Amino acid sequence: MLLIDCPYCGPREEIEFSYGGEAHIERPKQPDKLSDAEWADYLFMRNNPKGPLAERWCHSYGCRRWFNVERHTVTHEIQRVYKMGEPRGGEEGT
Amino acid sequence: MNKNKRYSIFSLARNARGYHKNWAEAWRSPEPKQSYDVIIVGGGGHGLATAHYLAKEHGITNVAVIEKGPIGLGNTGRNTTVIRSNYLWDESAAIYELSLKLYEGLSQDLNFNIMLSQRGLISLAHNQHDLREVQRRVNAIRLNGIDSEMLSLAKLKELVPILNLSPTSRYPVLGASIQRRGGIARHDAIAWGLARSADDRGVDILQHTEVTGLRIQGGLIKGVETTRGFIAAPKVGVAVAGHSSVFAEMAGFRLPIQSHPLQALVSEPLKPIFNTVLMSSTVHVYLSQSDRGELVMGAGIDSYNSYAQRGSPMILEDILAATCELIPIFSRVKMMRQWAGIVDTCPDASPIIGKTPISGLFFNCGWGTGGFKAIPGSGFVFAHTLAQGEPHEFAVPFALDRFTTGALIDEHGASGVAH
């Protein structure tokens, strides 16, 4: 079981949280201009790396707020916890 | 298969006279050739079945199956061995029923006893909605010519006397459906039997050989880089389950697949106590008793992406709580082993079989939590796809482009447990 450090409540057990999948997927700004392939990419295609993954978690049984976590998918080590809207690791201002 | 290799009562007697010292090896451990007509990446059930049917149905024997570990030790050796074809949609019914029919003849086909036990598979309903849904599925399945029927509580009591049918339980059982041809089989035997049969027809099974890269030039596949050097082939079939996304990334395209751990566990061996497969989507467990007497059980995936082949204890707690709810006399049974495999889940809980944006590169993936039952059917259609260069008619609906066209095949409810 993971120990997740909620940025609002502090470290809590994984069982209090819900998983939200890959983070930083941006909703299309002009949906009516999107091709079918672009829709497929936005709706269905996902990064599924064997290594660090930026993902969303929700503290469902706590503050009920969403935040981002960078976690390694082999070791499960949580490398970084950061709030929604903050840039992912190694990038600036996105 | 030559006389010395074929298993029979006579070969058993002959080898008993030689104190069992002269059994032929089941498959060779050859050195890799420089090139093959077809390379299959992944020596699990799906990859080995593909090799078997390529050789048997299409006469293509210059084939290598490349596996980074020993064959059949990934998800093929980690699942709960449930076999059934009670799927909702026509496309799924076609491929899973093909698979079940091939399973029914597989022991003869392979000259290897896969210990298929068609003991019946029961899906329980715990509320009015479940009951209507189960009834609807029974009707849909029967319309596809596949056996399925409703079970009354009295019949259920007769089949599984130890099942808790008390109307005062937390989630009372209101009814059930059964697929009588469903059941379980011996998973290792399927990997070994397929490998032996493919090897006998000339397929090279390269164990402990890891594919580290795909060589692609001008949108064409040229071969694979491995830990034993480059191996060339004009056609490469990838059947690597949980690692499919890693290979798609090597080839430069994206898949809608997410890799999750799926757990299973077994109890200490008990005397025969229950002789069907039991599934419940509401309390969420699937349960059977193996030929060795162990209770084999499983449930849902861990929520987060992982390649670690281990699962969380809270999922185990859910599985055991559901088991004790359904069959209270199991509450004092000791659990012996627990493990996890990495499953390749798809947004519509259906597989992806066929072409990729790279010419000559084919994928067979996305079987998610239910790949074991599909092994022969999947191998059969994937072998056809590789041999012809075009998808088998049963594989056409499962092409990757369904995520662009929107023609999804939503089978989220098909397992009788949530995917």
Side-chain angles (χ1 to χ4, degrees):
Chain A
M1 192 183 291
L2 304 174
L3 188 65
I4 300 173
D5 194 2
C6 170
Y8 306 99
C9 308
R12 301 290 182 88
E13 287 177 9
E14 178 194 334
I15 202 159
E16 293 187 14
F17 296 84
S18 315
Y19 188 61
E22 189 182 342
H24 303 292
I25 296 172
E26 212 171 310
R27 193 175 166 78
K29 290 204 170 59
Q30 291 183 296
D32 49 339
K33 299 261 174 10
L34 244 50
S35 70
D36 287 352
E38 286 166 330
W39 270 120
D41 200 64
Y42 165 67
L43 287 173
F44 299 119
M45 301 301 163
R46 292 290 177 268
N47 291 333
N48 183 21
K50 190 177 185 179
L53 172 67
E55 59 193 16
R56 301 175 303 173
W57 287 84
C58 178
H59 195 183
S60 308
Y61 294 95
C63 61
R64 302 178 64 187
R65 293 174 81 170
W66 286 92
F67 57 95
N68 289 331
V69 169
E70 191 182 292
R71 187 181 55 88
H72 197 285
T73 59
V74 181
T75 64
H76 294 176
E77 185 195 353
I78 293 176
Q79 291 157 330
R80 191 171 159 239
V81 177
Y82 53 106
K83 292 180 183 172
M84 282 287 163
E86 289 180 20
R88 73 169 87 199
E91 285 178 31
E92 282 176 24
T94 52
Chain B
M1 210 171 273
N2 74 43
K3 178 163 91 37
N4 288 328
K5 215 171 158 190
R6 208 177 155 73
Y7 297 152
S8 67
I9 185 72
F10 304 108
S11 75
L12 190 62
R14 200 165 53 242
N15 281 286
R17 283 206 306 277
Y19 298 98
H20 296 291
K21 286 176 183 164
N22 303 321
W23 284 104
E25 60 180 358
W27 58 87
R28 300 160 296 131
S29 298
E31 282 301 308
K33 294 186 217 166
Q34 289 193 329
S35 71
Y36 290 93
D37 293 339
V38 179
I39 287 175
I40 295 159
V41 184
H46 290 253
L48 293 166
T50 307
H52 165 69
Y53 288 114
L54 265 177
K56 181 175 176 243
E57 301 292 328
H58 305 279
I60 300 173
T61 57
N62 187 22
V63 174
V65 178
I66 306 182
E67 167 56 46
K68 74 172 171 186
I71 57 163
L73 273 198
N75 295 347
T76 305
R78 289 166 184 264
N79 59 79
T80 50
T81 77
V82 172
I83 293 172
R84 57 191 176 81
S85 61
N86 52 353
Y87 278 71
L88 180 64
W89 301 108
D90 298 354
E91 297 87 346
S92 318
I95 193 162
Y96 288 104
E97 178 63 9
L98 167 70
S99 198
L100 179 52
K101 283 188 174 141
L102 289 169
Y103 261 132
E104 286 171 335
L106 203 60
S107 289
Q108 293 299 321
D109 185 15
L110 300 178
N111 178 234
F112 202 111
N113 187 2
I114 64 158
M115 297 164 87
L116 176 67
S117 165
Q118 292 177 289
R119 54 184 64 186
L121 177 134
I122 296 171
S123 302
L124 299 176
H126 295 267
N127 53 49
Q128 285 301 327
H129 172 78
D130 273 4
L131 206 53
R132 286 190 205 110
E133 181 65 18
V134 164
Q135 177 77 64
R136 175 201 178 205
R137 283 175 184 278
V138 163
N139 293 339
I141 293 159
R142 289 172 73 110
L143 283 172
N144 276 316
I146 298 169
D147 75 299
S148 188
E149 58 193 275
M150 292 300 289
L151 280 181
S152 65
L153 286 179
K155 280 273 180 207
L156 198 54
K157 183 85 196 162
E158 212 171 278
L159 278 171
V160 193
I162 56 176
L163 183 64
N164 176 16
L165 292 177
S166 162
T168 58
S169 64
R170 177 70 182 83
Y171 299 100
V173 176
L174 300 187
S177 68
I178 184 168
Q179 183 179 22
R180 292 188 190 274
R181 287 161 64 237
I184 58 174
R186 173 101 169 94
H187 47 6
D188 296 325
I190 289 158
W192 298 334
L194 287 166
R196 176 169 166 269
S197 163
D199 175 89
D200 185 64
R201 291 182 163 93
V203 173
D204 282 358
I205 293 161
L206 308 174
Q207 300 185 94
H208 303 288
T209 309
E210 186 173 353
V211 173
T212 53
L214 301 169
R215 190 177 289 184
I216 297 162
Q217 281 168 6
L220 276 174
I221 192 87
K222 296 291 177 189
V224 297
E225 311 283 353
T226 76
T227 47
R228 293 162 84 180
F230 174 72
I231 306 174
K235 286 177 185 171
V236 174
V238 175
V240 296
H243 279 72
S244 299
S245 299
V246 176
F247 276 82
E249 201 183 340
M250 281 182 200
F253 63 94
R254 299 179 85 200
L255 288 174
I257 282 175
Q258 302 274 268
S259 297
H260 292 273
L262 178 64
Q263 294 191 70
L265 68 162
V266 295
S267 74
E268 60 190 334
L270 308 174
K271 288 189 175 178
I273 179 121
F274 109 100
N275 61 355
T276 59
V277 183
L278 206 57
M279 304 184 118
S280 163
S281 58
T282 300
V283 301
H284 207 170
V285 69
Y286 37 92
L287 180 67
S288 65
Q289 187 174 23
S290 76
D291 290 336
R292 289 182 296 221
E294 301 153 339
L295 301 174
V296 183
M297 54 198 95
I301 55 175
D302 274 55
S303 66
Y304 51 76
N305 290 33
S306 170
Y307 286 85
Q309 290 190 325
R310 61 173 186 270
S312 304
M314 64 248 199
I315 304 268
L316 288 178
E317 197 179 344
D318 289 347
I319 298 174
L320 294 170
T323 303
C324 294
E325 161 84 17
L326 290 178
I327 305 184
I329 63 164
F330 288 164
S331 64
R332 292 193 180 185
V333 174
K334 293 187 185 77
M335 295 301 135
M336 228 173 29
R337 292 191 307 278
Q338 162 272 339
W339 64 90
I342 300 303
V343 296
D344 42 343
T345 60
C346 231
D348 58 354
S350 285
I352 298 168
I353 314 166
K355 293 180 178 180
T356 67
I358 310 297
S359 180
L361 179 66
F362 300 84
F363 265 55
N364 184 359
C365 59
W367 292 95
T369 57
F372 178 75
K373 71 180 78 68
I375 284 174
S378 155
F380 191 91
V381 302
F382 199 43
H384 177 102
T385 305
L386 282 163
Q388 311 289 332
E390 290 297 324
H392 184 276
E393 59 170 319
F394 288 176
V396 170
F398 296 102
L400 180 57
D401 71 6
R402 73 175 185 273
F403 296 98
T404 309
T405 62
L408 303 186
I409 302 161
D410 178 8
E411 287 290 3
H412 277 281
S415 66
V417 298
H419 275 267

